[in-house]
Amino acid sequence: MEDYPRDLAEFEARFSTEAACREYLLRLRWPDGFCCPRCGGRKTWPLRGVLLQCSSCGYQSSVTAGTIFQDTRKPLTVWFRAMWWVTSQKNGASALGLQRVLGLGSYKTAWTWLHKLRRAMVRPGRDRLSGKVEVDETYWGSEEQGVRGRQTETKTLIVVAAQQDGDGIGRIRMRRIPDASAKSLMPFVEEAIEPGSVVHTDGWLGYVPLEGKGYRHRVTFLRGKKQSPSELMPRVHRVVSLLKRWLLGTHQGAVSHEHLDYYLDEFTFRFNRRTSRHRGKLFFRLA
Ligand SMILES: [Zn+2]
């Protein structure tokens, strides 16, 4: 059973103390109660802060090991408030907003936190897309005159995968890639999509190795077609236009190439959970 606060009042009532936050993380980590990684013992002595000590063998574990809270010197209550805030912003979170809400002294700290939270919002390698998936690339950056097709110098190339869900779009994945070669495209496909799935692309050479990697490859040649690419591969093009609108609207397009990865993570996280009814559920998944 997923356990999370429904609204701000419930959140504040539950997570006002370090002990309450620690207890929550402990229950996420050991849903059936603590179990010592060394001896299997089930009883603990609480130590300082986030540490627990097994009462049979003395082994010390931390409720924050392997999480974004690891190595933090800030109180868990502040981190929890940050998570709550980030997941409850409808159109995305800014470092400035986070700094204000938490009363953080430095903008740089807020920025670092936001990046950590965004990274954690997308769990790579898990829950790969499957079934029928459209894949295409798009550019982000200033329009260049005289540069056509897949050659680019200053623009950033992004590869996008959108799973088919009836007439609509299921889940998505996206990543910044250095170029549109098979060497750049295949690792993305393998990390994002289950082998055996139908991968639908245009006729670009970079997708030729798909069959050899265990995918069923459906190719739509765009040249000579009456329909536009957005009609031939509607889902991936819809995702691309939503992404661009979101980047332009939420961040005024002021997204530097080096930080683009984080924004892609946040967009993907929000898109894939757009049907989640409760904000609190986003919080739970992030925690
Ligand atoms: Zn033990």
Side-chain angles (χ1 to χ4, degrees), residues 85-86 89-98 107 111 114-115 118 121 140 242-257 259-268 270:
W85 185 78
V86 163
Q89 297 305 298
K90 231 181 169 169
N91 297 312
S94 75
L96 196 63
L98 186 65
Y107 178 79
W111 187 226
L114 193 59
H115 280 187
R118 284 213 177 96
M121 282 176 167
W140 174 251
L242 288 170
L243 170 70
K244 289 185 173 174
R245 198 187 303 165
W246 181 77
L247 285 171
L248 287 166
T250 312
H251 307 285
Q252 283 79 45
V255 176
S256 68
H257 291 204
H259 294 138
L260 192 59
D261 295 335
Y262 295 100
Y263 290 103
L264 298 184
D265 286 349
E266 187 179 344
F267 182 84
T268 302
R270 285 173 190 285

Side-chain angles (χ1 to χ4, degrees), residues 154-194:
T154 65
K155 286 196 268 186
T156 298
L157 192 58
I158 301 166
V159 57
V160 178
Q163 186 176 305
Q164 186 175 329
D165 181 12
D167 289 336
I169 307 167
R171 290 177 303 129
I172 60 167
R173 287 279 186 271
M174 54 181 66
R175 183 199 284 178
R176 192 166 61 117
I177 49 174
D179 55 57
S181 66
K183 214 178 141 201
S184 300
L185 290 168
M186 287 308 115
F188 167 76
V189 169
E190 292 184 281
E191 197 180 296
I193 307 170
E194 288 287 345

Side-chain angles (χ1 to χ4, degrees), residues 34-43 53-59:
F34 173 81
C35 182
C36 173
R38 194 203 265 167
C39 76
R42 309 200 59 104
K43 287 189 123 181
Q53 185 166 6
C54 172
S55 52
S56 14
C57 77
Y59 184 80

Side-chain angles (χ1 to χ4, degrees), residues 12 15-16 43 61 83 93 135 144 175 179 212 217 264:
E12 295 201 322
F15 300 116
S16 57
K43 287 189 123 181
S61 351
M83 285 198 302
V135 177
E144 283 176 284
R175 183 199 284 178
D179 55 57
H217 191 192
L264 298 184

Side-chain angles (χ1 to χ4, degrees), residues 37-176:
R38 194 203 265 167
C39 76
R42 309 200 59 104
K43 287 189 123 181
T44 59
W45 307 112
L47 288 182
R48 270 181 314 110
V50 295
L51 291 177
L52 299 165
Q53 185 166 6
C54 172
S55 52
S56 14
C57 77
Y59 184 80
Q60 294 186 359
S61 351
S62 158
V63 294
T64 58
T67 73
I68 52 171
F69 313 106
Q70 188 178 326
D71 306 325
T72 183
R73 270 175 285 148
K74 295 272 184 197
L76 290 175
T77 49
V78 179
W79 270 107
F80 270 56
R81 249 186 292 148
M83 285 198 302
W84 180 261
W85 185 78
V86 163
T87 52
S88 59
Q89 297 305 298
K90 231 181 169 169
N91 297 312
S94 75
L96 196 63
L98 186 65
Q99 185 189 5
R100 225 175 273 148
V101 161
L102 299 183
L104 292 171
S106 95
Y107 178 79
K108 217 180 149 214
T109 306
W111 187 226
T112 312
W113 279 36
L114 193 59
H115 280 187
K116 275 195 180 187
L117 290 164
R118 284 213 177 96
R119 202 73 291 244
M121 282 176 167
V122 180
R123 295 167 296 172
R126 293 178 64 178
D127 310 327
R128 283 189 287 186
L129 309 183
S130 58
K132 293 177 183 166
V133 184
E134 296 174 8
V135 177
D136 201 5
E137 320 97 70
T138 188
Y139 292 108
W140 174 251
S142 59
E143 292 300 322
E144 283 176 284
Q145 295 300 315
V147 178
R148 301 222 164 185
R150 282 166 164 99
Q151 293 179 316
T152 181
E153 289 299 324
T154 65
K155 286 196 268 186
T156 298
L157 192 58
I158 301 166
V159 57
V160 178
Q163 186 176 305
Q164 186 175 329
D165 181 12
D167 289 336
I169 307 167
R171 290 177 303 129
I172 60 167
R173 287 279 186 271
M174 54 181 66
R175 183 199 284 178
R176 192 166 61 117

